[in-house]
Amino acid sequence: MIRPAVPETFTLAGALLRQHKVVAFPTETVYGLGADATSSEAVANIYACKSRPQFNPLIIHVRDLAQAESFGSFTADALKLAQAFWPGPLTLVLNKQPNCPIDPLALAGMDTIALRVPNHPVARTLLEAVDFPLAAPSANRSGSLSPTTADHVQKSLGDVVPLIIDGGTCDVGLESTILDCTSDTLTILRQGAITQGDIESLLGCDLQTPTDSAIKAPGQLKSHYAPTLPLRLNASHALPGEAWLGFGDNPECTLNLSPTADIKEAARNLFVMLHLLDKPIYTGIAVSPIPHQGLGMAINDRLERAAADRS
Ligand code: TXA
Ligand code: MG
């Protein structure tokens, strides 16, 4: 059930979470499906609700840097990044602390941990309401599009999630940037709103982007974030039967990510519009070219994954 973000809802959410249940909640990136990260029963519930393969580790959401430091070992660079970009859409992959109390299933048995402090009032209130961190993948069935509204969550998981907290449409609209900080060379595992340029200018160094052969984030498999219909990228027009997802000045398209070619607006609209166009009345979705710059890199990354051959 969808409930507004009022005090009674947080009381209910706290009670459910303490009973090892899952609660869907908004973050600034996408909606998450949260549960107590220190409880194996709670974490098993997350995987079951999403039908997620158990080898794919979860992001651990914490309320602040101090809480994060009790779970992950911060390098000097990681500390700088956390101080600059938290709370916000950046996930840091660190070596876990020796006595880290996070359930091993949440980390898929790995010695590393992905940590993030979300910057959404609902997520922050929820993290203050309980005394444990929340493991939270995106609140969609495994392999389908990430949800950016409470309604998306309801459609994808409504029958198995006891509570969805409504916080409106997510502001960023794309999942967080994931940065591997476990070695001296930092590597971006997933592009997001904190761009490669943002990180490089803060640290004054060059980043690695992973090659397909060295995938360290299991969720970064090529076919992910997929709508049901096939996607055709860099399209200059729609073929008969196709919906057309435009960008920039384009009066003929079915929906437009941003008529003014504003890349932030396009990111916010991407999953919302893919959800809207992913209907059997169309044979496919043609997508206009999006510039490969800044946040456009993250948008193109999601589009390429969504378009990848799923056979
Ligand atoms: O914006 C976000 O990050 C959202 C919101 C809810 O916070 N969460 C999200 O979670 O996108 P999820 O589970 O859909 O994606 C998490 C990604 C997966 O690709 C997973 O493989 C990767 O993070 N990951 C988690 N732990 C990792 C680790 N220790 N090392 C490398 N990758 C990891
Ligand atoms: Mg996901």
Side-chain angles (χ1 to χ4, degrees), residues 75-291:
T75 59
D77 282 346
L79 198 59
K80 254 196 213 165
L81 288 158
Q83 281 161 346
F85 297 119
W86 280 358
L90 176 68
T91 295
L92 299 174
V93 174
L94 306 172
N95 288 311
K96 67 174 186 180
Q97 292 285 13
N99 295 319
C100 178
I102 303 297
D103 178 64
L105 180 60
L107 309 181
M110 305 211 291
D111 291 327
T112 57
I113 181 168
L115 287 160
R116 150 165 143 80
V117 180
N119 184 21
H120 187 290
V122 171
R124 307 206 69 192
T125 306
L126 198 58
L127 286 163
E128 292 292 342
V130 291
D131 55 10
F132 42 78
L134 296 176
S138 49
N140 52 280
R141 274 188 208 284
S142 194
S144 58
L145 286 173
S146 286
T148 53
T149 65
D151 210 41
H152 291 163
V153 182
Q154 175 70 33
K155 286 202 181 101
S156 187
L157 296 173
D159 49 340
V160 290
V161 173
L163 174 63
I164 301 164
I165 309 179
D166 192 351
T169 303
C170 300
D171 189 40
V172 177
L174 292 179
E175 303 86 348
S176 60
T177 306
I178 303 182
L179 186 67
D180 183 349
C181 302
T182 56
S183 72
D184 289 343
T185 348
L186 304 186
T187 308
I188 291 200
L189 301 179
R190 182 172 73 187
Q191 313 257 12
I194 304 295
T195 63
Q196 180 161 354
D198 293 335
I199 297 167
E200 287 176 342
S201 58
L202 179 80
L203 300 177
C205 67
D206 286 341
L207 292 189
Q208 298 276 314
T209 30
T211 56
D212 267 0
S213 57
I215 295 169
K216 280 184 85 182
Q220 296 315 102
L221 300 176
K222 234 193 182 151
S223 168
H224 202 56
Y225 314 107
T228 310
L229 289 177
L231 246 60
R232 199 165 57 79
L233 306 185
N234 302 313
S236 57
H237 59 282
L239 299 173
E242 277 183 338
W244 188 3
L245 184 57
F247 177 77
D249 184 26
N250 181 347
E252 287 163 49
C253 62
T254 320
L255 287 175
N256 199 324
L257 289 168
S258 173
T260 58
D262 172 346
I263 206 77
K264 268 185 104 170
E265 181 183 35
R268 196 180 308 131
N269 283 333
L270 181 68
F271 290 139
V272 177
M273 292 186 174
L274 285 174
H275 274 281
L276 286 172
L277 296 179
D278 194 16
K279 301 268 156 63
I281 54 165
Y282 300 115
T283 55
I285 305 170
V287 188
S288 295
I290 315 287

